[in-house]
Amino acid sequence: MLQRIVSGTDVTKNVNKNNSTHAVLFEAIQLVISLALDEELMSHCVDLLGQFLKAGEPNVRYLGLESMSRLSLVPEMLEHIKMHQGEIITSLSDPDISIRRRALDVLYGMCDETNSREIAAELLSYLTTADFAIREELA
């Protein structure tokens, strides 16, 4: 059932239907994460969350980053999450501080020996422009 929801749900232009679709998808993704189901389903969830990072709605981007942060704790998902590193780094310049904080959480969780130099360089660059409230956490 979760596979069907995650794979077969299309997001439409109708705002009310879109909100309900997002709600169902996020709940299904949270259940997949909690149950730590098969790797293929979880990787599909990461791809779906990557699409949400590009959404115009800040709440959708926040929830996408928050879910990705939880998935970054699953070692098998790190390679899938790394595919969205560009969108996550772009989220550091979001006007909403809560989105920037979630992006930092995901970057911290996905950082390993293969991407540590790139992430560290990006975070050092971001440190010069970051809000004072976030600098301590960033450092």
Side-chain angles (χ1 to χ4, degrees):
M1 190 62 173
L2 288 171
Q3 177 72 33
R4 185 173 167 201
I5 291 170
V6 171
S7 300
T9 306
D10 293 325
V11 179
T12 64
K13 299 282 184 189
N14 182 332
V15 175
N16 290 332
K17 186 174 181 185
N18 218 3
N19 288 338
S20 61
T21 301
H22 285 147
V24 170
L25 282 173
F26 278 117
E27 288 304 318
I29 290 169
Q30 294 305 319
L31 187 55
V32 169
I33 294 169
S34 296
L35 296 176
L37 295 173
D38 69 79
E39 189 173 330
E40 183 181 333
L41 183 57
M42 291 176 69
S43 68
H44 188 71
C45 289
V46 171
D47 293 337
L48 197 55
L49 292 170
Q51 292 176 9
F52 288 144
L53 297 182
K54 300 174 188 173
E57 178 71 31
N59 291 338
V60 173
R61 289 194 312 273
Y62 177 86
L63 289 171
L65 286 166
E66 196 269 328
S67 296
M68 223 178 245
S69 178
R70 288 187 59 207
L71 272 170
S72 71
L73 300 174
V74 180
E76 296 83 21
M77 292 297 103
L78 285 180
E79 290 304 315
H80 298 283
I81 292 172
K82 288 179 191 176
M83 290 188 237
H84 303 285
Q85 184 172 323
E87 291 94 11
I88 296 165
I89 289 173
T90 301
S91 297
L92 290 174
S93 60
D94 197 275
D96 188 337
I97 192 167
S98 62
I99 291 175
R100 295 192 304 263
R101 286 183 190 270
R102 285 307 128 241
L104 285 174
D105 289 344
V106 176
L107 286 171
Y108 178 76
M110 67 185 272
C111 189
D112 65 9
E113 65 276 352
T114 64
N115 61 1
S116 60
R117 290 183 191 269
E118 185 180 346
I119 289 176
E122 196 64 46
L123 294 179
L124 285 172
S125 172
Y126 176 63
L127 185 60
T128 61
T129 61
D131 294 337
F132 184 75
I134 207 168
R135 284 185 186 175
E136 181 180 350
E137 182 178 345
L138 180 58

